C-alpha cells in the first residue's frame, strides 16, 4: 500500500503567518493517464472533511486563493498564506492513484 | 443543492450487525461513485472502499473484506454499509463521500457514529 507521510504532525501559527505542510509518498503518484491524483482536505473540529485541492494544485470551487498546492512524483506541499481563523483544523493529504487509496496521518494547524 | 444525509448514531453489542445509510440528493445518483471512510474518534481518516453506483459493484480495502458489505437502493438514491459480527474496534465515525473527477470527495455525509460496547 502507498504510505503518505505528512510533516509536521502539528503546526502552531500566528494569524496572518504562512503555513506549509509536506506530504511524501512511498511511490510515485503519477497515474498512467498522466494525471496525479493527490488531494488535500481540511477537517474542522466536529465536521466532515472538506476538499481544498485536487490533482496536486487545483483549488476546488470556493476555496480561497491563499491555499496553494504544488509538487510532483512523490513530494507534495500545501501552502497557506496569511492563515485566518477558519483555516484551523486537521489537514490530510490523500492519494487515489494506487489501490487501495490512502490518507496521510494528518497535520493539525493550531494557533500559537 | 447536493447533499448526502446519513442515518443516525448506533449503539451495538459485540457480535451484532449494523446498517448505515447514505441518502443522496441534488444530483443523478448513478453518475458518481460512493466511497466510505472510517474515523476512529480522535484519530485520522481511513479509506474503506467504494461502490460503483451504476453497476452496483463494490470494492473493499483489505481491512474491510469479509464483514463489510456495500449495497445500493438506487431507486432511493441511497448507498448502504452493513457491518456484521461487530467488534469493539469497529467503534468509529463512518462517512460516505461522493467521488467525481475534478471533485474527488467534494461532498460528504455528516458521519454516523457506531459505538460497539458490551
Amino acid at each position: 500500500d502507498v504510505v503518505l507521510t505528512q510533516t509536521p504532525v502539528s503546526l502552531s501559527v500566528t494569524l496572518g503567518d504562512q503555513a506549509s505542510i509536506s506530504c511524501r509518498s512511498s511511490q510515485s503518484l503519477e497515474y498512467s493517464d498522466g494525471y496525479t491524483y493527490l488531494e488535500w482536505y481540511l477537517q474542522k473540529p466536529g465536521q466532515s472533511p472538506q476538499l481544498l485541492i485536487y490533482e496536486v494544485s487545483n483549488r476546488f470551487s470556493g476555496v480561497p486563493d491563499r491555499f496553494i498546492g504544488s509538487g510532483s512524483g512523490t513530494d507534495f506541499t500545501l501552502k497557506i498564506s496569511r492563515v485566518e481563523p477558519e483555516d484551523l483544523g486537521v489537514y490530510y493529504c490523500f492519494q487515489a492513484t494506487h489501490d487501495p487509496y490512502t490518507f496521510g496521518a494528518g497535520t493539525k494547524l493550531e494557533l500559537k | 443543492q447536493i447533499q448526502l444525509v446519513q442515518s443516525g448514531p448506533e449503539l451495538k453489542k459485540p457480535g451484532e450487525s449494523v446498517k448505515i445509510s447514505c441518502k443522496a440528493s441534488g444530483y443523478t445518483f448513478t453518475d458518481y461513485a460512493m466511497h466510505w471512510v472510517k474515523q476512529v474518534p480522535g484519530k485520522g481518516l481511513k479509506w474503506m472502499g467504494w461502490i460503483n453506483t451504476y453497476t452496483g459493484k463494490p470494492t473493499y480495502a483489505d481491512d474491510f473484506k469479509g464483514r463489510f458489505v456495500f449495497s445500493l437502493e438506487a431507486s432511493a438514491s441511497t448507498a448502504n454499509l452493513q457491518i456484521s459480527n461487530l467488534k469493539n474496534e469497529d467503534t468509529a465515525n463512518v462517512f460516505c463521500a461522493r467521488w467525481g473527477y475534478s471533485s474527488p470527495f467534494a461532498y460528504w455525509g455528516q458521519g454516523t457514529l457506531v459505538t460497539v460496547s458490551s
Side-chain angles (χ1 to χ4, degrees):
Chain A
D1 297 2
V2 171
V3 176
L4 298 179
T5 302
Q6 282 187 239
T7 54
V9 171
S10 65
L11 191 51
S12 295
V13 297
T14 301
L15 295 179
D17 278 356
Q18 176 175 280
S20 182
I21 301 169
S22 169
C23 178
R24 288 194 168 164
S25 173
S26 59
Q27 298 178 39
S28 173
L29 297 184
E30 184 175 347
Y31 192 57
S32 53
D33 62 5
Y35 288 89
T36 298
Y37 296 102
L38 186 283
E39 279 75 60
W40 290 95
Y41 298 89
L42 164 61
Q43 187 175 31
K44 299 179 185 180
Q47 294 187 19
S48 303
Q50 58 188 82
L51 174 64
L52 299 173
I53 302 285
Y54 66 95
E55 293 166 18
V56 180
S57 59
N58 297 288
R59 271 185 297 276
F60 184 60
S61 174
V63 174
D65 60 9
R66 63 178 182 276
F67 290 91
I68 300 169
S70 63
S72 63
T74 60
D75 285 350
F76 304 92
T77 302
L78 177 68
K79 283 188 166 59
I80 312 161
S81 59
R82 307 180 309 278
V83 170
E84 299 195 6
E86 59 266 31
D87 301 338
L88 303 180
V90 181
Y91 289 80
Y92 295 94
C93 57
F94 173 79
Q95 69 82 22
T97 296
H98 300 284
D99 185 16
Y101 300 170
T102 48
F103 287 92
T107 295
K108 186 174 185 178
L109 184 67
E110 53 194 1
L111 283 181
K112 206 175 274 185
Chain B
Q1 75 282 22
I2 295 167
Q3 281 192 301
L4 301 178
V5 178
Q6 296 183 227
S7 49
E10 301 272 3
L11 175 59
K12 295 290 184 181
K13 291 181 165 45
E16 293 184 336
S17 296
V18 69
K19 189 174 186 179
I20 300 163
S21 65
C22 171
K23 183 168 176 58
S25 61
Y27 70 96
T28 302
F29 182 68
T30 51
D31 282 352
Y32 296 86
M34 195 69 78
H35 291 238
W36 294 91
V37 176
K38 176 182 178 179
Q39 186 170 40
V40 172
K43 302 295 184 186
L45 303 169
K46 186 163 186 174
W47 181 76
M48 301 174 72
W50 65 286
I51 187 164
N52 183 318
T53 54
Y54 187 75
T55 64
K57 179 177 184 287
T59 300
Y60 303 94
D62 282 348
D63 285 351
F64 301 99
K65 289 178 179 172
R67 299 185 297 114
F68 299 79
V69 176
F70 305 147
S71 64
L72 301 174
E73 295 169 51
S75 60
S77 299
T78 298
N80 300 306
L81 163 61
Q82 181 155 349
I83 312 171
S84 59
N85 189 20
L86 283 161
K87 304 177 187 305
N88 290 330
E89 54 264 38
D90 293 325
T91 294
N93 210 0
V94 178
F95 297 96
C96 59
R98 191 191 88 164
W99 180 271
Y101 288 98
S102 302
S103 61
F105 298 170
Y107 301 94
W108 294 69
Q110 80 277 21
T112 296
L113 180 62
V114 177
T115 303
V116 184
S117 174
S118 53

